[in-house]
Amino acid sequence: MTTVAVTGGAGFLGSHLCDRMLAEGHRVICIDNFITGRRANVEHLADRDDFRLLEHDISQPFFLDEDVDYILHFASPASPIDYLELPIQTLKVGSLGTHNMLGLAKTKGARLLLASTSEVYGDPLVHPQPETYWGNVNPVGPRGVYDEAKRFAEAMVMAYHRVHGVETRIVRIFNTYGPRMRPRDGRVVPAFIQQALTGEPLTVFGDGSQTRSFCFVDDLVEGIYRLLLSDRVEPTNIGNPGEMTILDFARHITRLTGSESEISFRDLPTDDPKIRQPDISVARDVLGWQPRVELDEGLLRTIEYFRQYLQEEGRLEA
Ligand code: UDP
């Protein structure tokens, strides 16, 4: 039986990966320190024999008492609000955490897949962004802690591959949404959906002319699974190229939820990228992958998740 360790396994993406790996018949070891991950995301797996949950901060040394075949390294604060609140943890998990996991991969002879990010492109001067673009990152701005940690992590992964022959994969993840996003992580999808459902104004940062391209989590997980099993060592973009402005996105959410919320404009956060769209030619050619879930279908499933969450919290009538 193949064993897969998932760092950040109780987070949004990590927990969906745990589900997928178990569904593929693999054993899963979920490692999380719960600073941004949530036990609720993996509660449904707790009683399974093929699932093991370890509470650990992987920025600290980590020893595993069993063999492991794959390491999916997803641990990190991942929303702009989280990494503003946890800048040092973000830097440490990207650097020390990645170092520790590469050491584990080397010892166990495991293949490691690093969750990298479109943030490595910073505020991009090339559009859409292909993997060959080196990016435009401000290292000392508030977002630098995440962007540079992930850039360092990519460099470290490539060094372990080149020097020690560790089998490695790097996925550059673009904006992804779906059930199990943390309700108050401040990212645009959970923020707008909850504001729309509760009748609060939708908080559009800046004039809303900045763009993003949103990928549903099931599509992302499929792309990551294919990348893991592929031979591709170089970074690979996975995301949905459907791009829209944040203002249009806000209007779209109010339409889909049937909300009467207004739009209220707030200051644009420092270094907020003005445009973002993945060039997914490599994923198409090498992995035969492209997103399948239409935006409205994915959003309706996500809206349903948040509706239930708000009802359980008593913030919305059943
Ligand atoms: N955004 C917004 N209102 C919010 C949260 C985010 O207008 O309540 C904007 C944010 O400024 C950015 C985009 O939505 O331009 C996506 O933000 P998010 O935090 O989801 O992730 P990012 O793509 O910036 O990492």
Side-chain angles (χ1 to χ4, degrees):
M1 196 186 223
T2 305
T3 301
V4 187
V6 185
T7 77
F12 164 47
L13 297 181
S15 65
H16 284 284
L17 285 163
C18 289
D19 284 343
R20 175 64 187 265
M21 294 296 148
L22 289 165
E24 296 291 340
H26 307 320
R27 196 177 126 62
V28 168
I29 304 170
C30 167
I31 308 161
D32 210 296
N33 66 348
F34 300 108
I35 62 168
T36 59
R38 292 186 301 155
R39 282 181 199 278
N41 287 343
V42 288
E43 229 158 39
H44 60 292
L45 306 175
D47 294 334
R48 292 179 64 134
D49 293 338
D50 49 3
F51 180 76
R52 183 175 174 197
L53 179 61
L54 298 176
E55 183 167 354
H56 183 77
D57 174 1
I58 54 138
S59 298
Q60 304 295 329
F62 176 70
F63 301 95
L64 193 57
D65 53 6
E66 60 174 305
D67 289 340
V68 59
D69 303 283
Y70 297 121
I71 300 168
L72 304 180
H73 179 30
F74 277 69
S76 177
S79 90
I81 284 196
D82 287 342
Y83 45 78
L84 287 183
E85 277 176 10
L86 304 163
I88 296 174
Q89 289 92 331
T90 303
L91 282 160
K92 283 174 77 173
V93 75
S95 53
L96 306 177
T98 301
H99 185 215
N100 289 335
M101 289 307 106
L102 283 163
L104 183 70
K106 182 170 162 248
T107 309
K108 304 284 183 185
R111 178 177 297 182
L112 179 140
L113 182 144
L114 170 71
S116 186
T117 168
S118 55
E119 286 284 327
V120 301
Y121 303 121
D123 190 5
L125 305 175
V126 171
H127 194 71
Q129 294 80 55
E131 290 86 350
T132 46
Y133 177 47
W134 290 351
N136 178 40
V137 170
N138 172 7
V140 294
R143 293 175 92 103
V145 296
Y146 185 65
D147 302 11
E148 296 295 4
K150 290 293 187 183
R151 289 169 67 98
F152 176 89
E154 288 196 5
M156 178 86 102
V157 162
M158 292 309 296
Y160 265 68
H161 173 70
R162 292 188 182 117
V163 176
H164 294 305
V166 173
E167 284 190 37
T168 56
R169 306 287 180 266
I170 298 174
V171 57
R172 289 189 179 149
I173 299 169
F174 284 67
N175 293 69
T176 302
Y177 68 96
R180 299 191 197 150
M181 293 188 90
R182 212 171 76 246
R184 271 176 276 280
D185 82 356
R187 282 191 276 197
V188 71
V189 175
F192 282 0
I193 291 179
Q194 289 180 94
Q195 290 161 345
L197 289 175
T198 56
E200 292 161 30
L202 271 64
T203 51
V204 169
F205 297 164
D207 62 4
S209 64
Q210 70 274 31
T211 69
R212 292 295 185 273
S213 311
F214 296 102
C215 183
F216 189 62
V217 62
D218 291 4
D219 280 333
L220 186 94
V221 166
E222 176 65 27
I224 289 170
Y225 191 67
R226 289 187 188 207
L227 177 63
L228 177 69
L229 300 185
S230 78
D231 293 332
R232 176 152 172 108
V233 171
E234 296 77 24
T236 305
N237 289 340
I238 299 283
N240 189 320
E243 183 182 7
M244 63 199 303
T245 68
I246 292 301
L247 185 56
D248 283 343
F249 187 63
R251 295 191 179 118
H252 195 67
I253 294 287
T254 49
R255 261 197 309 275
L256 275 183
T257 49
S259 169
E260 287 176 6
S261 288
E262 293 176 350
I263 286 176
S264 115
F265 293 91
R266 305 285 166 87
D267 289 345
L268 189 67
T270 311
D271 297 334
D272 197 288
K274 287 183 265 313
I275 44 175
R276 183 181 289 159
Q277 188 202 107
D279 179 333
I280 59 165
S281 317
V282 169
R284 277 189 221 272
D285 294 348
V286 178
L287 309 177
W289 176 87
Q290 60 178 25
R292 304 243 167 248
V293 181
E294 295 295 334
L295 182 66
D296 283 8
E297 185 195 336
L299 283 176
L300 288 171
R301 285 163 66 179
T302 311
I303 289 165
E304 213 26 62
Y305 171 83
F306 281 109
R307 199 188 294 278
Q308 269 189 26
Y309 173 85
L310 290 170
Q311 284 169 358
E312 280 162 23
E313 261 207 335
R315 289 170 64 204
L316 202 65
E317 304 248 319

